[in-house]
C-alpha cells in the first residue's frame, strides 16, 4: 500500500465534498445550469475590487521583475508586513510592527503554520461545533487531538462552560472563527472577554499558556453595522490567522497573514518558529505579486452590500416559508434547521428541487444544512419557488 494510514481517512472525507461538486456539474448538464441552484460552495461571487487589478498592473510596470518574482525573507516583504501592521494599529489600536506579521498562503497555511509551531504529539486543541471541517486534518497533521465543544443550536454562540470543562493540562490551543462558517454568527465582545478570562485562569492553573487562534477570513464581511471584536485586545496569547480570500475575493491567489502580538508569551520565539514552520511546510513564502497587491490595497474590502442584499432576500424568504434559521450577522452562509431533523432526507428533498446545500454533519452539527449565498442575486430569485416546494413537502406552508 503506497499511501499512509494518516491519509486514508482524509481521502474519504474529501471525497464527500468532491462528490457534491460533481453532482452539481451532472445536474447542470441534465437540467441546464440556470435550473440548478448550487448553494454548496464558499467561493466569493463579488469580484475583487478595482484596486486589485490596478495594483497588479502597476507592480508589473514599476517593479524590477527580479525583485517582484524573486525569493524573499520567508515571512514576506518587510514593507508589506509593515503596511499590514500599520493598518491593524490604526484600526484596532495595536502596537504591531513588521516583525509581528508573517505573510501566508491564505488562512489554511496560517493555521498549519501556527499549529506546527505549538503542538507536540498528543496536545489538545479545542474548537466549537459547527466548524470549518479542515481543522480536523490540520490538527491531525501535527498529531494533535481536536476536541469539539457541542453547539448551542438556539444561538450558535460558543458554550464557554463547555469549553472550560474540556480544558486539561494537555490543552495547547483553542480555535475560534468569528464571523463563523457555517452559521454567520458573530461572537459578542462580552463572549470574547469571558473567553479570555477563562483561558487566562486555566493557563495559570495549568502552568501552560493556551493559545487562542482566531481564524478570521470573514472579519470584513459583516452586516447591519455589527462590530467584530479584535480578540488580541481581550486575551494576550492570541494569534490572528487572517486571509484575503473573502475580504478581497482572492481565494485562488492564496494570500493572508499571521499576526503574533508583542505581548504574547514567548512572542519572539513563536514568531521565529512560525516563520520556519512556514518554510518547512513547503510554502516557503507567500506569493510575491499578491503581497505587493496587499500593500496597495491594505484598507480595501470587496463590496459587502452585494452579499447583504443576498442575505436579506434569502433569509426573509426562507423564514416566510417556515424554515428556522439564526439571522447571520457576517460571512455569507445561512445555517438552516432541517425540518423533521433528518438531514439526509432534507438534503434529498432539496436535491429533488435541484437545490444543492451542504449537510451540517460536514461541520460536526447534524440536523442542519449550510446554504452559501455567495451566488448571484438572480440565482436566489430563481431558486425561491424550489425552496417553496421543499417547504410544502414538509407542510411548512
Ligand atoms: N477558515 C475558515 C473558517 C474558512 O471558511 C476557510 C475557507 O473557506 C478557511 C479557513 C481557508 O481560507 P483560505 O482560502 O484563506 O485558506
Amino acid at each position: 500500500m503506497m499511501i499512509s494510514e494518516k491519509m486514508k481517512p482524509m481521502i474519504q472525507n474529501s471525497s464527500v465534498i468532491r462528490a457534491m461538486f460533481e453532482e452539481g456539474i451532472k445536474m447542470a448538464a441534465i437540467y441546464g445550469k440556470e435550473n440548478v441552484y448550487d448553494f454548496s460552495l464558499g467561493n466569493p461571487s463579488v469580484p475583487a475590487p478595482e484596486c486589485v487589478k490596478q495594483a497588479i498592473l502597476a507592480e508589473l510596470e514599476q517593479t524590477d521583475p527580479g525583485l517582484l518574482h524573486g525569493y524573499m525573507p520567508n515571512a514576506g516583504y518587510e514593507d508589506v508586513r509593515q503596511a499590514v501592521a500599520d493598518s491593524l494599529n490604526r484600526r484596532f489600536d495595536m502596537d504591531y510592527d513588521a516583525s509581528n506579521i508573517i505573510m501566508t498562503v491564505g488562512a489554511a497555511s496560517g493555521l498549519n503554520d501556527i499549529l506546527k509551531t505549538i503542538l507536540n504529539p498528543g496536545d489538545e486543541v479545542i474548537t466549537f461545533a459547527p466548524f470549518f471541517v479542515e481543522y480536523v486534518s490540520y490538527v491531525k497533521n501535527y498529531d494533535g487531538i481536536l476536541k469539539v465543544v457541542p453547539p448551542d443550536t438556539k444561538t450558535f454562540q460558543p458554550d464557554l462552560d463547555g469549553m472550560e470543562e474540556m480544558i486539561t493540562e494537555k490543552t495547547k490551543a483553542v480555535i475560534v472563527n468569528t464571523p463563523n462558517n457555517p452559521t454567520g454568527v458573530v461572537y459578542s465582545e462580552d463572549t470574547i472577554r469571558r473567553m479570555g478570562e477563562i483561558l487566562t485562569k486555566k493557563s495559570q492553573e495549568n502552568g501552560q499558556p493556551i493559545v487562542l487562534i482566531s481564524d478570521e477570513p470573514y472579519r470584513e464581511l459583516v452586516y447591519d453595522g455589527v462590530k467584530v471584536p479584535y480578540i488580541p485586545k481581550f486575551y494576550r496569547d492570541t494569534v490572528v490567522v487572517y486571509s484575503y480570500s473573502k475580504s478581497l475575493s482572492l481565494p485562488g491567489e492564496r494570500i493572508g497573514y499571521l499576526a503574533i502580538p508583542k505581548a504574547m508569551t514567548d512572542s519572539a520565539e513563536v514568531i521565529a518558529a512560525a516563520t520556519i514552520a512556514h518554510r518547512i511546510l513547503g510554502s516557503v513564502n507567500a506569493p510575491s505579486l499578491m503581497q505587493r497587491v496587499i500593500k496597495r490595497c491594505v484598507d480595501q474590502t470587496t463590496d459587502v452590500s452585494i452579499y447583504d442584499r443576498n442575505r436579506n432576500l434569502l433569509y426573509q424568504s426562507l423564514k416566510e416559508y417556515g424554515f428556522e434559521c439564526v439571522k447571520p450577522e457576517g460571512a455569507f452562509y445561512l445555517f438552516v434547521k432541517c425540518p423533521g431533523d433528518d438531514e439526509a432526507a432534507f438534503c434529498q428533498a432539496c436535491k429533488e428541487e435541484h437545490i444543492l446545500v451542504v449537510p451540517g454533519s460536514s461541520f460536526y452539527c447534524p440536523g442542519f444544512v449550510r446554504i452559501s449565498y455567495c451566488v448571484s442575486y438572480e440565482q436566489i430569485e430563481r431558486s425561491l419557488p424550489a425552496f417553496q416546494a421543499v417547504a410544502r413537502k414538509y407542510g411548512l406552508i
Side-chain angles (χ1 to χ4, degrees), residues 42 105-109 111 131-132 135 138 177 179-181 215-218 242-246 250-251 254-256 333 370:
V105 185
S109 129
L111 287 163
F131 64 95
F132 180 57
Y135 296 162
Y138 298 167
N177 166 228
N180 184 263
N181 174 12
D215 177 24
E216 14 190 279
Y218 302 98
Y242 189 83
S243 166
Y244 295 96
S245 292
K246 323 285 167 161
L250 294 174
R254 314 303 306 138
I255 186 76
Y333 308 109
R370 188 190 76 175

Side-chain angles (χ1 to χ4, degrees), residues 77-240:
Y77 291 116
E78 171 109 11
D79 61 331
V80 174
R81 290 185 288 138
Q82 188 60 52
V84 171
D86 290 343
S87 166
L88 295 173
N89 295 345
R90 269 195 308 274
R91 293 175 62 201
F92 305 116
D93 190 27
M94 293 295 291
D95 62 350
Y96 294 124
D97 59 42
S99 70
N100 300 108
I101 308 295
I102 300 172
M103 300 307 292
T104 63
V105 185
S109 129
L111 287 163
N112 274 278
D113 293 346
I114 192 61
L115 290 169
K116 183 166 181 67
T117 298
I118 62 174
L119 290 186
N120 288 312
D123 280 348
E124 294 170 357
V125 178
I126 295 175
T127 199
F128 301 88
F131 64 95
F132 180 57
V133 75
E134 300 286 53
Y135 296 162
V136 175
S137 304
Y138 298 167
V139 170
K140 233 179 243 165
N141 283 345
Y142 313 103
D143 298 318
I145 296 164
L146 187 69
K147 294 172 77 178
V148 179
V149 181
D152 166 355
T153 54
K154 286 276 165 289
T155 64
F156 289 110
Q157 288 290 331
D159 170 7
L160 297 181
D161 294 332
M163 176 193 81
E164 186 165 2
E165 277 164 31
M166 224 171 241
I167 294 174
T168 72
E169 281 159 21
K170 288 210 153 273
T171 305
K172 208 62 183 289
V174 172
I175 307 179
V176 288
N177 166 228
T178 164
N180 184 263
N181 174 12
T183 64
V185 161
V186 175
Y187 299 173
S188 70
E189 198 173 296
D190 273 354
T191 302
I192 297 295
R193 181 173 292 113
R194 229 192 106 217
M195 186 181 284
E197 285 164 3
I198 296 170
L199 294 180
T200 303
K201 185 181 84 178
K202 285 289 180 182
S203 296
Q204 278 160 4
E205 273 174 26
N206 293 343
Q208 165 63 59
I210 300 168
V211 179
L212 183 52
I213 299 174
S214 178
D215 177 24
E216 14 190 279
Y218 302 98
R219 166 168 286 280
E220 267 58 69
L221 272 54
V222 281
Y223 314 108
D224 302 332
V226 164
K227 291 261 175 299
V228 183
Y230 195 67
I231 302 186
K233 299 272 290 171
F234 298 89
Y235 182 64
R236 68 177 213 158
D237 286 330
T238 301
V239 171
V240 174

Side-chain angles (χ1 to χ4, degrees), residues 11-86:
I11 290 173
Q12 253 154 26
N13 290 347
S14 83
S15 65
V16 174
I17 295 160
R18 192 168 353 111
M20 188 149 35
F21 183 64
E22 281 162 11
E23 183 72 29
I25 295 172
K26 217 161 55 188
M27 283 171 74
I30 300 170
Y31 305 110
K33 205 166 178 284
E34 66 291 352
N35 299 317
V36 176
Y37 317 114
D38 189 346
F39 293 99
S40 65
L41 293 179
N43 216 1
S45 54
V46 178
E50 177 64 18
C51 73
V52 168
K53 179 177 168 191
Q54 293 310 326
I56 292 171
L57 294 174
E59 288 296 335
L60 291 176
E61 289 301 330
Q62 287 166 22
T63 309
D64 171 350
L67 290 176
L68 182 58
H69 303 303
Y71 284 123
M72 71 192 75
N74 299 128
Y77 291 116
E78 171 109 11
D79 61 331
V80 174
R81 290 185 288 138
Q82 188 60 52
V84 171
D86 290 343

